[in-house]
Amino acid sequence: MSEQLLQQLIHMVAENNRLVKETQEELREFKKEMYDFRDEMYAFRDEMYAFRDEMYEFRDDATRRLDRLERQNKHIDADLDLLHRKVSDHEREINRLKQVGQ
Protein backbone atom coordinates (compact mmCIF):
# COMPACT_ATOMS: atom_id res chain seq x y z
CA MET A 1 0.00 0.00 0.00
CA SER A 2 2.78 2.42 0.74
CA GLU A 3 4.17 1.79 -2.78
CA GLN A 4 0.81 2.77 -4.26
CA LEU A 5 0.64 5.83 -2.01
CA LEU A 6 4.15 6.81 -3.06
CA GLN A 7 3.17 6.46 -6.75
CA GLN A 8 0.10 8.62 -6.17
CA LEU A 9 2.22 11.20 -4.39
CA ILE A 10 4.77 11.21 -7.23
CA HIS A 11 1.95 11.58 -9.75
CA MET A 12 0.45 14.46 -7.73
CA VAL A 13 3.81 16.21 -7.48
CA ALA A 14 4.36 15.79 -11.23
CA GLU A 15 0.87 17.16 -11.95
CA ASN A 16 1.52 20.02 -9.55
CA ASN A 17 4.83 20.80 -11.33
CA ARG A 18 3.05 20.73 -14.70
CA LEU A 19 0.40 23.13 -13.41
CA VAL A 20 3.05 25.42 -11.95
CA LYS A 21 4.93 25.48 -15.29
CA GLU A 22 1.69 26.22 -17.18
CA THR A 23 0.88 28.97 -14.73
CA GLN A 24 4.37 30.42 -15.07
CA GLU A 25 4.10 30.37 -18.87
CA GLU A 26 0.67 32.01 -18.73
CA LEU A 27 2.06 34.61 -16.35
CA ARG A 28 4.95 35.31 -18.74
CA GLU A 29 2.50 35.70 -21.64
CA PHE A 30 0.28 37.93 -19.53
CA LYS A 31 3.24 40.11 -18.54
CA LYS A 32 4.31 40.37 -22.18
CA GLU A 33 0.78 41.38 -23.19
CA MET A 34 0.65 43.92 -20.37
CA TYR A 35 4.02 45.40 -21.39
CA ASP A 36 2.86 45.54 -25.02
CA PHE A 37 -0.36 47.22 -23.88
CA ARG A 38 1.62 49.70 -21.79
CA ASP A 39 3.78 50.53 -24.80
CA GLU A 40 0.66 51.04 -26.93
CA MET A 41 -0.77 53.33 -24.25
CA TYR A 42 2.45 55.36 -24.15
CA ALA A 43 2.38 55.65 -27.94
CA PHE A 44 -1.28 56.69 -27.77
CA ARG A 45 -0.47 59.25 -25.08
CA ASP A 46 2.32 60.67 -27.23
CA GLU A 47 -0.05 60.89 -30.21
CA MET A 48 -2.64 62.64 -28.04
CA TYR A 49 -0.03 65.14 -26.82
CA ALA A 50 1.01 65.80 -30.42
CA PHE A 51 -2.64 66.23 -31.42
CA ARG A 52 -3.21 68.57 -28.47
CA ASP A 53 -0.20 70.64 -29.52
CA GLU A 54 -1.54 70.81 -33.08
CA MET A 55 -4.93 71.89 -31.78
CA TYR A 56 -3.30 74.61 -29.66
CA GLU A 57 -1.39 75.80 -32.71
CA PHE A 58 -4.59 75.80 -34.76
CA ARG A 59 -6.42 77.73 -32.03
CA ASP A 60 -3.62 80.28 -31.73
CA ASP A 61 -3.46 80.70 -35.52
CA ALA A 62 -7.24 81.07 -35.76
CA THR A 63 -7.20 83.63 -32.93
CA ARG A 64 -4.46 85.64 -34.66
CA ARG A 65 -6.36 85.56 -37.95
CA LEU A 66 -9.64 86.55 -36.32
CA ASP A 67 -7.92 89.40 -34.49
CA ARG A 68 -6.44 90.58 -37.79
CA LEU A 69 -9.86 90.34 -39.47
CA GLU A 70 -11.42 92.30 -36.62
CA ARG A 71 -8.81 95.05 -37.01
CA GLN A 72 -9.37 95.11 -40.77
CA ASN A 73 -13.12 95.27 -40.21
CA LYS A 74 -12.69 98.26 -37.90
CA HIS A 75 -10.54 100.00 -40.51
CA ILE A 76 -13.14 99.26 -43.20
CA ASP A 77 -15.87 100.65 -40.94
CA ALA A 78 -13.81 103.78 -40.35
CA ASP A 79 -13.15 104.11 -44.10
CA LEU A 80 -16.86 103.70 -44.87
CA ASP A 81 -17.74 106.36 -42.32
CA LEU A 82 -15.19 108.70 -43.91
CA LEU A 83 -16.55 107.95 -47.42
CA HIS A 84 -20.09 108.59 -46.24
CA ARG A 85 -19.01 111.91 -44.76
CA LYS A 86 -17.18 112.88 -47.96
CA VAL A 87 -20.17 111.90 -50.13
CA SER A 88 -22.43 114.00 -47.91
CA ASP A 89 -19.98 116.91 -48.12
CA HIS A 90 -19.77 116.58 -51.91
CA GLU A 91 -23.56 116.42 -52.25
CA ARG A 92 -23.87 119.60 -50.19
CA GLU A 93 -21.17 121.28 -52.28
CA ILE A 94 -22.88 120.18 -55.54
CA ASN A 95 -26.23 121.50 -54.30
CA ARG A 96 -24.60 124.77 -53.20
CA LEU A 97 -22.94 125.17 -56.61
CA LYS A 98 -26.25 124.40 -58.36
CA GLN A 99 -27.97 127.11 -56.36
CA VAL A 100 -25.18 129.62 -57.00
CA GLY A 101 -25.38 128.87 -60.73
CA GLN A 102 -29.13 129.48 -60.91
Side-chain angles (χ1 to χ4, degrees):
M1 182 151 198
S2 85
E3 182 70 30
Q4 188 180 11
L5 203 56
L6 183 59
Q7 288 300 323
Q8 285 179 344
L9 185 58
I10 290 172
H11 178 71
M12 289 173 66
V13 167
E15 181 65 17
N16 191 32
N17 285 342
R18 185 186 66 76
L19 291 173
V20 166
K21 285 181 182 180
E22 282 181 11
T23 303
Q24 286 174 333
E25 182 59 33
E26 288 175 359
L27 182 59
R28 276 192 288 276
E29 289 176 17
F30 178 74
K31 281 183 173 180
K32 182 187 177 310
E33 289 174 7
M34 290 304 297
Y35 289 136
D36 290 346
F37 180 72
R38 181 194 63 186
D39 292 342
E40 288 177 18
M41 288 298 100
Y42 285 151
F44 179 72
R45 181 196 61 189
D46 293 343
E47 289 174 8
M48 291 304 297
Y49 286 155
F51 178 71
R52 180 194 64 186
D53 292 343
E54 287 177 20
M55 291 305 296
Y56 285 156
E57 286 177 24
F58 175 78
R59 181 199 62 193
D60 293 345
D61 184 51
T63 300
R64 278 190 302 274
R65 289 176 182 218
L66 287 172
D67 288 345
R68 189 178 76 227
L69 285 174
E70 188 174 346
R71 282 191 305 275
Q72 287 176 343
N73 190 38
K74 286 179 182 178
H75 288 132
I76 289 170
D77 284 345
D79 289 346
L80 288 174
D81 288 344
L82 180 62
L83 284 173
H84 180 67
R85 247 190 351 252
K86 285 185 177 185
V87 166
S88 295
D89 290 347
H90 289 155
E91 285 177 347
R92 273 194 302 275
E93 183 65 20
I94 289 169
N95 286 333
R96 187 188 67 77
L97 289 172
K98 280 181 182 178
Q99 288 184 3
V100 169
Q102 290 178 359

